[in-house]
Amino acid sequence: MNRDFIIDVNSTNVTIAITEDKMLTELHKEKHDNKFSVGDIILGKVKKIIPGLNAAFVDVGYSKEAFLHYLDLGPQVRSLNKYVKLATSTKGKRIPMDQFRCEEDIDKSGKMEDVLSVNQSVLVQVAKEPIGSKGPRITSEISFPGRHIVLMPFSNKITVSQKIKDLEERTRLKRLVKSIQPANFGVIVRTNAENKKVADLLSDLNDLVGKWNAMFDKLPSLKPPSNAFREMDRTATILRDMLNESFNSVVVNDDDMYQDIRDFVKSFDPAKADLVKLYKGKIPIFEHYGVTKQIKSSFGKKITMDSGAYIIIEHTEAMHVIDVNSGQRLKRDSDQEASALQTNLVSAQEIARQLRLRDMGGIIVIDFIDMVNRDNRRILYEKMKEAMKSDRAKHSILPPSKFGLIQITRQRVRPEMEVEILEQCPVCHGTGEVKPPVLIIDEIENNIRYLLLEQNESNLTLKVHPFVHAHLTKGLFGFKWKWFKTYRKTIKVVPASSFHFLEYHFFNAQGDEIKF
């Protein structure tokens, strides 16, 4: 599979399009002024504790207070709170982690008021960006993700990604990490670490420990709410996580980002640095690589597939509903069960792409075409799971229900990607109202009078819709004859089938359009 990254950088945002075999599969947009990103660590202040919810609301500098549930505190929250308190009271003198004595883990069934108090300063990490009317979702289980590992302060566990299946490789990675693991730090080994050498893991580990130390060096000077650690922006995060996988090319239209990406790729695979290219064409980069057309056809309520079948995507407050329709296919095919299965399988592939492309999260209910055969429903279920394998977001898929519905839950940490594909109407200009057709002739005549008498134009050409052209030129004593008699100048009237009904344009003797 060829994976290409096409990156469009402009003054307001960075947009990353990821294509697989030239098919658009992911679209990520990051504004330059985005204040909240998943992974940011913030020194906040507890504003309210709600015993009924066993949760707290924390001021993190957003208009809505962030929600912190007891289960999101993390087992080592007492150790974190103690370390933060010591760090803020030592006036910049960092406490070495290997000399710090951790507190006991909190009880899983405990109460929030036993751990936090109102007005207490607490270090939290953004787990979900603000979505709709909700504030950020936060956690006290701090983590620092790198290319190969994730660093977990105040934990001594070593965990290997479940996606690494080989038992010998899992054992090797655990042994390597244990040999370099610093005191009071836990480590999660990421899938990208497979077959990596200890030097790669150690370099990653030292970089993450450095970030932890740098954060606590500036903590004494912060007053809540303040950002203690800024995660890499979304662009850099995507590149960090995905450029470690096989990719065919990275094309970017910005000099600075081109150099940054090239240096980043060179740091882990110098042979691939030449795959990063700078785009200098005059045509917009997305248009040149066919991304714009795919965006226009892939967003919106109705998505049509090559087979003629289509899906309808509806959004509600609680969930997303996707309806699969066969179009005219089932009516033409004598074996409706086989045709329904084929349409459902194609739709499953497209739906999996849409979930990634739009970054849809929460509960998704899919109404596939009804199938009587139980084996066919099982085939569809397996196809849906197979199509979702490449989705990096955590998800769960349930088998088809008695009514033929497949339910999916998919992790949502950011607002859903929305692209406005509808364009402004050229007739009403978005107002929903048009001028009365009976007035168009008066308007044209007023413009002719202005151009001929005030501007002294000659050899005037008027292009109009064919219906209007017929109206202006019909009969021996039509409008053309009337204008010639009045102004003693011939006005050429030309039909243009591409014009909408009320559209018209004037052109001078040189063929240039006359702008009003």
Side-chain angles (χ1 to χ4, degrees):
M1 178 188 297
N2 289 328
R3 179 183 283 109
D4 299 296
F5 292 73
I6 302 163
I7 306 174
D8 180 23
V9 182
N10 57 43
S11 59
T12 57
N13 52 50
V14 178
T15 306
I16 302 179
I18 302 174
T19 64
E20 295 176 356
D21 295 332
K22 304 301 180 183
M23 176 70 75
L24 182 65
T25 55
E26 293 188 35
L27 189 68
H28 304 272
K29 184 176 289 187
E30 176 77 6
K31 290 185 178 179
H32 293 309
D33 61 349
N34 190 18
K35 295 181 180 179
F36 282 87
S37 295
V38 172
D40 285 1
I41 300 176
I42 299 169
L43 183 65
K45 179 175 283 190
V46 179
K47 303 299 288 184
K48 289 178 283 189
I49 292 179
I50 313 297
L53 297 175
N54 203 16
F57 285 94
V58 181
D59 180 12
V60 294
Y62 188 67
S63 56
K64 296 274 187 179
E65 292 169 352
F67 182 78
L68 178 63
H69 194 272
Y70 182 85
L71 297 177
D72 293 326
L73 287 175
Q76 300 87 26
V77 64
R78 283 199 175 99
S79 298
L80 175 64
N81 290 342
K82 177 183 175 182
Y83 196 84
V84 170
K85 189 174 181 180
L86 288 172
T88 53
S89 62
T90 54
K91 296 182 180 179
K93 187 178 179 182
R94 190 194 320 137
I95 304 99
M97 284 290 283
D98 56 357
Q99 298 177 18
F100 178 75
R101 176 178 288 183
C102 291
E103 298 292 308
E104 290 185 5
D105 292 356
I106 61 173
D107 187 1
K108 289 183 179 180
S109 57
K111 296 181 179 179
M112 179 65 81
E113 55 265 36
D114 295 334
V115 181
L116 299 180
S117 58
V118 176
N119 293 325
Q120 177 182 346
S121 295
V122 59
L123 201 65
V124 295
Q125 190 165 30
V126 177
K128 286 186 180 181
E129 291 180 8
I131 297 175
S133 60
K134 298 178 182 178
R137 182 76 182 261
I138 55 177
T139 176
S140 289
E141 199 163 13
I142 306 296
S143 64
F144 287 82
R147 290 200 306 274
H148 308 307
I149 64 174
V150 178
L151 192 68
M152 305 286 291
F154 309 111
S155 170
N156 292 309
K157 295 181 180 179
I158 298 175
T159 309
V160 180
S161 168
Q162 295 295 324
K163 292 184 179 179
I164 300 178
K165 303 295 184 183
D166 186 84
L167 185 59
E168 289 185 8
E169 178 63 10
R170 293 176 65 86
T171 304
R172 184 188 75 90
L173 289 171
K174 266 194 174 183
R175 187 175 66 252
L176 290 181
V177 171
K178 195 168 185 179
S179 68
I180 60 175
Q181 181 185 13
N184 290 327
F185 283 106
V187 175
I188 299 174
V189 182
R190 305 185 69 176
T191 310
N192 291 329
E194 191 169 10
N195 299 321
K196 296 297 180 183
K197 297 178 180 179
V198 67
D200 298 321
L201 302 180
L202 182 59
S203 174
D204 213 12
L205 179 66
N206 290 337
D207 180 53
L208 298 177
V209 172
K211 290 180 179 179
W212 166 263
N213 291 333
M215 179 183 73
F216 271 90
D217 285 342
K218 74 173 187 176
L219 204 61
S221 62
L222 299 180
K223 292 184 179 180
S226 296
N227 199 309
F229 171 77
R230 178 74 170 172
E231 172 62 296
M232 293 188 296
D233 61 35
R234 193 174 181 184
T235 304
T237 302
I238 293 167
L239 296 175
R240 177 196 67 196
D241 292 344
M242 297 199 66
L243 282 184
N244 288 320
E245 303 173 17
S246 59
F247 66 93
N248 192 52
S249 68
V250 180
V251 187
V252 59
N253 62 351
D254 180 78
D255 287 307
D256 293 335
M257 183 165 284
Y258 161 74
Q259 196 58 53
D260 290 344
I261 296 173
R262 186 178 172 84
D263 292 343
F264 174 72
V265 173
K266 193 181 291 184
S267 68
F268 67 85
D269 193 346
K272 289 188 174 181
D274 290 337
L275 295 179
V276 183
K277 301 168 186 174
L278 178 64
Y279 177 75
K280 296 182 179 180
K282 294 182 179 180
I283 301 174
I285 185 170
F286 276 4
E287 189 173 331
H288 177 77
Y289 287 97
V291 174
T292 300
K293 184 176 181 180
Q294 289 197 58
I295 290 174
K296 293 288 186 182
S297 63
S298 298
F299 284 85
K301 181 178 177 180
K302 181 178 179 180
I303 309 298
T304 303
M305 291 164 280
D306 292 339
S307 63
Y310 60 93
I311 60 176
I312 302 292
I313 301 177
E314 295 278 6
H315 307 273
T316 71
E317 188 70 24
M319 66 179 68
H320 303 279
V321 181
I322 302 177
D323 183 35
V324 177
N325 293 277
S326 62
Q328 300 299 317
R329 181 178 179 123
L330 288 185
K331 295 179 182 178
R332 298 195 307 266
D333 205 317
S334 57
D335 188 349
Q336 291 197 6
E337 181 75 10
S339 183
L341 175 62
Q342 185 61 33
T343 300
N344 284 339
L345 294 178
V346 173
S347 300
Q349 190 71 42
E350 177 62 25
I351 289 169
R353 184 179 80 98
Q354 287 290 328
L355 297 185
R356 291 174 61 191
L357 186 59
R358 303 180 186 220
D359 204 7
M360 293 166 61
I363 301 173
I364 300 118
V365 179
I366 309 169
D367 182 15
F368 285 100
I369 299 171
D370 291 340
M371 294 185 296
V372 178
N373 192 309
R374 182 178 298 178
D375 290 338
N376 287 342
R377 292 200 294 269
R378 181 182 54 78
I379 292 172
L380 174 61
Y381 175 57
E382 295 299 327
K383 176 65 175 180
M384 194 74 237
K385 290 198 297 182
E386 179 67 26
M388 293 284 288
K389 269 188 177 180
S390 56
D391 195 335
R392 292 178 294 124
K394 294 179 182 177
H395 60 270
S396 177
I397 307 173
L398 296 181
S401 69
K402 185 169 65 174
F403 301 109
L405 305 176
I406 285 185
Q407 300 171 65
I408 300 175
T409 59
R410 187 176 183 274
Q411 183 186 33
R412 179 172 65 175
V413 296
R414 296 182 178 90
E416 178 184 340
M417 171 64 69
E418 293 183 358
V419 177
E420 183 60 56
I421 64 169
L422 300 180
E423 299 178 356
Q424 190 180 79
C425 172
V427 181
C428 70
H429 302 290
T431 64
E433 299 175 344
V434 297
K435 296 176 182 177
V438 295
L439 299 181
I440 188 173
I441 303 302
D442 291 342
E443 189 176 282
I444 289 174
E445 289 189 322
N446 288 335
N447 287 328
I448 289 174
R449 184 182 305 111
Y450 169 77
L451 292 173
L452 296 181
L453 299 182
E454 302 290 335
Q455 298 296 321
N456 294 318
E457 292 284 352
S458 60
N459 297 321
L460 204 60
T461 299
L462 170 64
K463 288 187 178 181
V464 293
H465 186 274
F467 287 177
V468 178
H469 171 267
H471 179 70
L472 293 176
T473 57
K474 69 178 181 179
L476 182 61
F477 301 105
F479 285 92
K480 281 188 63 176
W481 179 85
K482 174 185 171 184
W483 295 336
F484 177 76
K485 184 179 178 183
T486 303
Y487 305 110
R488 295 299 173 183
K489 292 181 180 180
T490 302
I491 299 169
K492 187 177 181 181
V493 183
V494 178
S497 58
S498 61
F499 284 15
H500 62 75
F501 183 63
L502 301 180
E503 184 178 3
Y504 63 89
H505 296 281
F506 287 97
F507 297 85
N508 59 23
Q510 290 74 39
D512 298 325
E513 184 181 351
I514 301 172
K515 302 286 187 180
F516 289 94

